[in-house]
């Protein structure tokens, strides 16, 4: 029995020996397997040890495991992998693994590259298609070669790390092939917005394949295109082995990337400027912001490498929002300063901003930003803001942040690695610095106005360290322009808006509130704005001052504005003082001053039109004071397109021509104009104004009231005047006129003015009567003019005007005569009969 058993054992052994001697390639490999199977290296025996190992496995989804319209991927989990040896990080010796992904698995095409080395932790390879082929090769199989691979299948929509949430809504989230039908990994991404474009290494989030070169063209609608990672994980050639002692981790950087890397171009082609070349492992610490709407990414993996590195996943957006169009709205690009790095050119970030382009846009303020994109070390960005010759520049920062540089290209050393300097002028003149901000110690100033003294301001940003994603001095800056031209008159030193007007400088001109509305920009704790206007004439050449207010746009605060110079608003008003300039106290207290009126709108309204208000002084001096309450000054007047008030001033009534401004009405009298003229004199035009003051009788007049005085006005026909009701009906508002008016009445008693201008040379050269005693007229005894002038006989105008006490609210009538040319023999005769 024992002999029979021994014989049977020998027969079985003789049968198995040939099988054990068979090639191990034909034992359990070179076969198709279904997802879910486990692949492992064969047991080491005396027959396969030292022999070549060449084995492949084609992994497909399980039959009928998912609907046909559901896309599947194959997940390979390498639980154990030790295969061959990686030499010089470029070559696999002794053995390697090739992984074919997709159709290439059927015919071993595509040059997939080689994996070798070992892992100490499990690694995933996730296919892009629904089949994967693994091809293991060993020159001499022994116990140094081991693998254990767990396979499974997953639906694409369940692979959130790769395809995101709701992948059917974003079918092109991972881009589209640049060449349709090609097996290339090149991808095109268009119109990228947040969460719509996933720029990933092949086979992400698994280990990326070897021997690949992939191009990714990424674009957005608006600059500045921004490339960033949400979780920060990045692993491109971060390790060449899994032993942390023998093979330390490579930190993320761009100094040396000899094998696997990703390169970013600032444009849509490889001829664009290279922003940087990156490799390493860790959290990608910054965003990359391009200067336009396009970036090109190039990913390269070496022919041979470890089964370790998982690649990258970038999101794409534009930063911030659609600010690119705003950034360039009013800017003109200028040549940039060159970097010291000759291998790269700085992005464009130097601009000129002008008031003309801002006005053309229709905006009241312009906007410019700190560099929001990448820039090289030693980059300089400039903003030259230029207005019209009469303008000044204002810049303020609604948003201003200063932080530590978080994405430097070059590590900072020392203070002020990035700075922003504001200059008063059009160049970077160190003597004209308004303010400098540094990234290490300066405090940002929001809402503070920085003003130029001229029409230009120059702002210079300088970075010694560069940045991948914009400046550490982050700001949104607004700029605008203000008319800083000086109204007529002499501005008082050390005052905001005080002006002195003198006839020696100019006898007439424009009188207007400050052009620069920045004066009205005041905080609640600021002092009120007070502007004083001093009109200082002299008795001989200008014994009176006449102000004509054409518009008043004061906003009442306390109660509705008075219309008769009676009530004061107590907040915003224009005060008129008929006093000598020397009497105005330095405190501005007008309460003890007589002859005072407060004005917050024009005196009379006629329909929808305001008639000009005229103020006549009784002395050679007149004072006006504008008072604006600080509490509401900014909201009511800052940047107002209408002046607070506008009008004109005239130094009038030279005594040596017009005589006394207050004739004696108790006796009959006469005034002839012109009374005196000398060829060398400069008085032209001539304006005279007389106050005919009639004292009111205490007793009541019984029955019908009789005239208190009779005025007679005769005008030479050579003046070519016509009678109208109001000044707006005159053909030439600046021409000759004769006006008789009663203060307090809306309509003048008499208004004669020039007809539309006609050219007539007939009157040229007509002179005053010869033989006039010029020197005698200069004596003070002749201030009351006499009849010493012969009129040329011609048809003219003559009328008599009775004056009644009841019709004179202020007990007086005023006659104003304006003659533009005294070199012609025409005149006006005014006479009156004494009061009875």
């Amino acid at each position: 029995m024992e002999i029979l058993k021994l014989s049977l054992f020998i027969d079985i052994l003789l049968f198995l020996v040939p099988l054990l001697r068979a090639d191990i390639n034909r034992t359990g490999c070179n076969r198709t397997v279904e997802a879910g199977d486990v692949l492992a290296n064969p047991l080491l025996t005396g027959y396969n040890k030292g022999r070549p190992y060449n084995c492949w496995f084609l992994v497909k989804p399980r039959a009928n495991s998912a609907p046909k319209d559901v896309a599947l991927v194959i997940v390979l989990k390498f639980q154990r992998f030790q295969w061959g040896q990686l030499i010089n990080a470029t070559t696999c010796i002794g053995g390697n693994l090739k992984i074919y992904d997709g159709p290439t698995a059927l015919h071993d095409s595509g040059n997939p590259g080689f994996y070798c080395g070992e892992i100490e932790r499990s690694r995933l390879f996730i296919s892009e298609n629904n089949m994967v082929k693994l091809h293991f090769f060993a020159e001499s199989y022994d116990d140094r070669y081991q693998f254990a691979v767990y396979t499974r299948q997953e639906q694409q929509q369940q692979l959130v790390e790769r395809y995101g949430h709701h992948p059917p809504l974003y079918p092109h989230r991972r881009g589209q092939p640049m060449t349709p039908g090609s097996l290339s990994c090149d991808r095109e991404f268009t119109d990228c917005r947040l969460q719509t474009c996933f720029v990933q290494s092949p086979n992400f989030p698994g280990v990326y394949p070897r021997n690949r070169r992939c191009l990714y063209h990424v674009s957005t609608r608006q600059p500045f295109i921004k490339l960033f990672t949400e979780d920060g994980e990045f692993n491109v050639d971060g390790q060449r082995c899994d032993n942390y002692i023998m093979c330390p981790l490579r930190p993320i950087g761009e100094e040396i990337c000899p094998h696997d890397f990703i390169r970013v171009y600032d444009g849509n082609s490889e001829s664009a400027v290279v922003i940087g070349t990156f490799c390493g492992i860790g959290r990608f610490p910054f965003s990359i912001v391009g200067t336009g709407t396009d970036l090109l990414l190039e990913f390269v993996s070496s022919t041979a490498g470890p089964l370790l590195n998982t690649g990258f996943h970038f999101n794409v957006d534009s930063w911030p929002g659609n600010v690119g169009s705003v950034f360039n709205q009013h800017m003109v690009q200028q040549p940039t300063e060159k970097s010291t790095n000759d291998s790269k050119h700085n992005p464009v970030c130097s601009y000129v901003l002008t008031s003309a382009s801002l006005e053309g846009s229709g905006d009241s303020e312009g906007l410019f930003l700190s560099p929001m994109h990448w820039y090289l070390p030693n980059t300089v960005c400039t903003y030259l803001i230029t207005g019209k010759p009469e303008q000044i520049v204002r810049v303020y920062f609604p948003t201003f942040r200063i932080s530590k540089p978080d994405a430097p290209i070059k590590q900072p050393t020392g203070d002020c690695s990035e700075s922003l300097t504001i200059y008063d002028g059009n160049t970077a003149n160190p003597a004209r610095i308004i303010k400098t901000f540094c990234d290490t110690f300066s405090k940002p100033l929001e809402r503070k106005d920085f003003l130029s003294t001229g029409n230009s301001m120059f702002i210079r940003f300088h970075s010694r360290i560069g940045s991948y994603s914009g400046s550490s001095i982050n700001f949104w800056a607004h700029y605008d322009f203000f008319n800083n031209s000086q109204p007529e008159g002499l501005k008082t030193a050390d005052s905001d808006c005080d002006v002195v007007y003198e006839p020696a400088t100019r006898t007439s001109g424009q009188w207007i509130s400050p052009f620069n509305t920045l004066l009205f920009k005041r905080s609640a704790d600021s002092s009120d704005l007070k502007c004083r206007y001093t009109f200082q004439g002299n008795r001989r050449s200008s014994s009176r001052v006449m102000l004509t207010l054409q518009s008043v746009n004061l906003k009442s605060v306390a109660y509705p504005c008075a219309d008769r110079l009676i009530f004061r608003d107590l907040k915003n008003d224009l005060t008129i003082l008929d006093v000598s300039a020397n009497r105005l106290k330095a405190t501005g207290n007008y309460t003890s001053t007589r002859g005072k009126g407060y004005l917050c709108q024009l005196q009379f309204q006629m329909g929808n039109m305001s008639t000009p208000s005229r103020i006549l002084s009784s002395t050679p001096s007149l004072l006006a004071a504008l008072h604006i309450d600080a509490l509401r000054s900014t909201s009511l007047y800052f940047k107002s397109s209408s002046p607070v008030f506008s009008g004109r001033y005239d130094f009038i009534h030279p005594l040596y021509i017009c005589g006394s401004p207050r004739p004696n009405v108790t006796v009959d009298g006469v005034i002839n104009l012109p009374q005196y003229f000398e060829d060398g004199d400069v008085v032209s035009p001539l304006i005279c104004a007389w106050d005919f003051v009639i004292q009111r009788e205490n007793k009541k007049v019984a029955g019908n009231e009789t005239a208190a005085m009779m005025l007679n006005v005769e005008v030479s026909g050579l003046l070519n005047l016509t009678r109208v009701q109001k000044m707006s009906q005159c053909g030439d508002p600046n021409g000759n006129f004769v006006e008789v008016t009663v203060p307090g009445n809306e309509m003048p008693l008499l208004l004669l003015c020039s007809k539309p201008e006609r050219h007539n040379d007939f009157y040229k050269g007509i002179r005053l009567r010869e033989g006039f005693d010029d020197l005698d007229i200069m004596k003070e005894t002749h201030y009351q003019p006499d009849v010493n002038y012969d009129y040329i006989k011609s048809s003219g105008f003559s009328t008599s005007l009775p004056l009644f006490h009841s019709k004179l609210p202020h007990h007086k009538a005023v006659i104003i005569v304006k003659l533009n040319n005294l070199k012609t023999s025409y005149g006006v005769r005014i006479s009156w009969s004494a009061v009875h």
Side-chain angles (χ1 to χ4, degrees), residues 128-148:
E128 297 282 351
N129 300 275
N130 63 354
M131 66 175 69
V132 175
K133 185 176 183 179
L134 293 82
H135 193 157
F136 293 90
F137 171 76
E139 293 179 356
S140 177
Y141 183 69
D142 56 25
D143 58 2
R144 296 173 301 168
Y145 295 87
Q146 301 176 25
F147 68 84

Side-chain angles (χ1 to χ4, degrees), residues 757-774:
E757 183 179 355
R758 294 182 298 180
H759 298 284
N760 193 333
D761 295 334
F762 174 75
Y763 303 109
K764 288 184 177 180
I766 299 179
R767 309 296 298 162
L768 292 173
R769 177 166 58 87
E770 298 293 337
F772 201 86
D773 189 353
D774 296 344

Side-chain angles (χ1 to χ4, degrees), residues 488 502-503 505-511 648-652 684-685 687:
E488 296 174 10
E502 296 178 336
T505 305
R506 191 167 181 176
T507 58
S508 63
Q510 184 186 47
W511 178 46
R648 62 174 289 113
Y649 68 91
D650 292 276
F651 290 101
I652 65 171
S684 182
I687 301 178

Side-chain angles (χ1 to χ4, degrees), residues 232-262:
E233 294 300 326
F234 181 87
N235 187 352
V236 175
D237 205 26
Q239 288 177 284
R240 282 277 149 172
C241 69
D242 213 9
N243 188 310
Y244 294 104
I245 299 177
M246 301 298 296
C247 188
L249 302 179
R250 182 195 302 273
I252 296 176
E254 64 159 331
E255 295 181 359
I256 301 176
C257 293
H259 309 300
D260 304 347
F261 60 82
I262 184 167

